[in-house]
Amino acid sequence: MKDSCSALLLWIIIMLPLASVSQEKDIPSLLRENNKLTVPYISVQMLQMNYQEYTVVDTRKKEEYQVSHLPKAIWVGEKYDGKNFHGISKDTKIVVYCSVGIRSEDYGEDLLEDGFSKVYNLYGSIFSWKDAGYQIVDQNQRPTENVHVYGKKWAKYLKTGEKVYQP
């Protein structure tokens, strides 16, 4: 009896940390839980292959954008303001992104509501872009490994690069 209790205790000690690891969310499950799929996704691979066809907009805070962003991305901030898109055709192909793809869906919804017809949310956003091995640049347009992770809660979703928490 004592041996079986010891074995059970040992099993619990070994398996408990593994159970908590397996319950940790990944970007796909995070997006399934938080997004409404109101803005169609585009994969990082598809965007990379056809980058020149899209206007890429960064919907994060200015501090996040200054640390790093996708090449030639236009910073528009977190709140939609039609002024940022003055003079842009409503059928322009636009890709919105943030850290993982939640905030950018909200921004994309506003673009669609304003009449833009070809709006896409970058699946996994800058975290997935960086994790796929694609280049990001700093505020001087130089390649960088730094990625603003928005906060410690979100940092676990970035697997590559240098995590930055403050500007």
Side-chain angles (χ1 to χ4, degrees), residues 129-147:
W129 181 266
K130 178 66 180 140
D131 288 346
Y134 301 134
Q135 185 181 75
I136 55 173
V137 296
D138 65 16
Q139 62 185 342
N140 298 312
Q141 304 307 310
R142 293 184 304 233
T144 185
E145 290 298 309
N146 295 335
V147 181

Side-chain angles (χ1 to χ4, degrees), residues 6-144:
S6 296
L8 179 60
L9 182 59
L10 181 60
W11 184 84
I12 290 171
I13 291 170
I14 292 170
M15 296 308 289
L16 191 59
L18 295 176
S20 65
V21 168
S22 68
Q23 292 176 0
E24 191 169 303
K25 293 182 179 125
D26 56 7
I27 288 177
S29 60
L30 186 70
L31 293 176
R32 275 192 305 275
E33 288 179 15
N34 291 283
N35 282 3
K36 299 170 279 192
L37 302 176
T38 53
V39 180
Y41 288 120
I42 183 171
S43 71
V44 294
Q45 295 82 5
M46 185 64 74
L47 178 59
Q48 172 64 21
M49 288 188 316
N50 302 292
Y51 203 85
Q52 69 286 350
E53 295 178 20
Y54 296 91
T55 297
V56 179
V57 296
D58 189 310
T59 66
R60 300 174 300 155
K61 294 181 180 185
K62 185 73 165 188
E63 308 86 66
E64 294 173 270
Y65 176 82
Q66 289 173 330
V67 169
S68 63
H69 53 272
L70 275 62
K72 300 180 184 175
I74 301 164
W75 178 75
V76 293
E78 295 177 284
K79 301 288 182 204
Y80 178 71
D81 179 355
K83 295 177 197 170
N84 291 329
F85 295 87
H86 181 73
I88 296 178
S89 170
K90 298 285 185 176
D91 65 348
T92 298
K93 292 181 181 179
I94 299 172
V95 172
V96 293
Y97 77 91
C98 58
S99 296
V100 296
I102 298 170
R103 291 179 285 172
S104 52
E105 182 182 64
D106 294 339
Y107 199 98
E109 288 172 349
D110 291 340
L111 282 167
L112 289 168
E113 211 171 280
D114 196 22
F116 288 89
S117 60
K118 298 176 183 171
V119 180
Y120 305 92
N121 189 8
L122 183 60
Y123 191 85
S125 285
I126 195 170
F127 287 10
S128 290
W129 181 266
K130 178 66 180 140
D131 288 346
Y134 301 134
Q135 185 181 75
I136 55 173
V137 296
D138 65 16
Q139 62 185 342
N140 298 312
Q141 304 307 310
R142 293 184 304 233
T144 185

